[in-house]
């Protein structure tokens, strides 16, 4: 709910309401709050309340720079290693994602978008790269989802994904790396931050 923007930055999370909504007791919700705080997704305040963390511009910019570099490297490596079956798999996911965009099914679109990015990183076959990428994923997915709330960014992201897929299918690692970096940095200006 935080990643999708359903729970926006600054919103206070009421423990009882979340327990009822998710159908769980307080213990797993409290554990989840601690985990989310460690990931930078929520802030635990002194009065024992929990709020969705604001996105801060220097932090988001630094995060985007690092994840863009990781995914650019993943793209280069994936272009060296990808096989025809994997290209067909990503083509099908991409087609489904575009269909979700056309139907304005935002949640399904974000899931497929995430799956494409994940598959490219997995196809790169570098466990250190994958582990590092996964550790940063919750924060970047949240910022990316919020950026895609802006209609002009959403359509631009779809077009960027089409170009990125073409580069992957052509096994052009240098082009895919450049397009991946641009994709991230183009989205950055659409991420609202608590200090802007």
């Amino acid at each position: 709910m935080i990643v999708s923007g359903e729970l926006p930055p600054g919103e206070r999370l009421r423990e009882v309401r979340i327990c009822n909504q998710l159908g769980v007791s307080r213990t797993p919700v409290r554990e989840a709050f601690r985990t989310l705080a460690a990931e930078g997704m929520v802030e635990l305040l002194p009065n024992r309340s929990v709020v969705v963390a604001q996105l801060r511009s220097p932090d988001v910019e630094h995060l985007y720079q690092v994840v863009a570099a990781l995914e650019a490297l993943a793209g280069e490596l994936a272009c060296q290693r990808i096989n025809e079956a994997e290209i067909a798999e990503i083509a099908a996911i991409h087609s489904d994602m575009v269909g979700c965009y056309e139907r304005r099914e935002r949640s399904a679109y974000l899931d497929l978008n995430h799956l494409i990015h994940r598959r490219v990183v997995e196809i790169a076959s570098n466990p250190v790269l994958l582990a590092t990428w996964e550790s940063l994923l919750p924060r970047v997915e949240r910022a990316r989802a919020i950026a895609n709330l802006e209609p002009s960014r959403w359509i631009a992201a779809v077009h960027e994904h089409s170009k990125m897929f073409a580069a992957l299918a052509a096994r052009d690692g240098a082009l895919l790396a450049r397009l991946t970096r641009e994709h991230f940095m183009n989205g950055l200006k659409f991420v609202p931050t608590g200090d802007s």
Side-chain angles (χ1 to χ4, degrees):
M1 291 183 285
I2 292 170
V3 168
S4 72
E6 182 182 335
L7 295 173
E11 180 156 329
R12 185 170 176 215
L13 303 179
R14 301 188 188 284
E15 187 177 294
V16 173
R17 190 178 105 221
I18 291 186
C19 289
N20 292 335
Q21 190 175 2
L22 300 177
V24 297
S25 69
R26 288 183 171 197
T27 300
V29 170
R30 288 178 182 158
E31 290 294 321
F33 285 165
R34 282 193 283 279
T35 300
L36 290 169
E39 293 174 349
M41 303 286 276
V42 300
E43 296 173 6
L44 305 176
L45 302 179
N47 63 359
R48 301 186 72 144
S49 61
V50 179
V51 297
V52 177
Q54 295 286 343
L55 297 168
R56 309 266 183 235
S57 60
D59 296 337
V60 173
E61 184 174 357
H62 296 155
L63 176 66
Y64 265 53
Q65 289 169 342
V66 170
V67 175
L70 291 172
E71 289 204 19
L73 174 59
E76 288 177 346
L77 294 172
C79 284
Q80 296 169 15
R81 298 178 169 112
I82 197 163
N83 61 44
E84 291 301 320
E86 291 164 332
I87 290 172
E89 173 196 359
I90 293 178
I93 298 167
H94 177 75
S95 176
D96 290 346
M97 185 186 76
V98 171
C100 288
Y101 167 76
E102 291 167 351
R103 293 183 301 275
R104 301 302 188 263
E105 295 171 352
R106 192 168 168 278
S107 180
Y109 170 90
L110 290 171
D111 290 344
L112 293 169
N113 179 308
H114 165 75
L115 182 56
I116 290 171
H117 285 267
R118 171 172 286 285
R119 288 299 293 132
V120 170
V121 175
E122 289 172 345
I123 291 166
S125 299
N126 183 315
V128 174
L129 175 61
L130 177 60
T132 306
W133 179 82
E134 285 180 330
S135 72
L136 298 172
L137 191 62
R139 291 168 46 207
V140 78
E141 285 296 300
R142 176 179 176 218
R144 195 167 17 197
I146 290 171
N148 282 339
L149 287 172
E150 170 61 43
S152 64
R153 177 60 200 144
W154 195 6
I155 185 60
V158 171
H159 289 299
E160 290 165 9
H161 263 269
S162 294
K163 291 178 186 175
M164 290 161 59
F165 172 71
L168 180 66
R171 295 178 172 86
D172 188 338
L175 177 59
L176 181 55
R178 181 177 61 79
L179 292 172
T180 299
R181 283 189 184 93
E182 290 172 3
H183 176 63
F184 272 91
M185 301 324 287
N186 289 342
L188 181 60
K189 61 185 163 228
F190 292 94
V191 179
T193 57
D195 45 27
S196 57

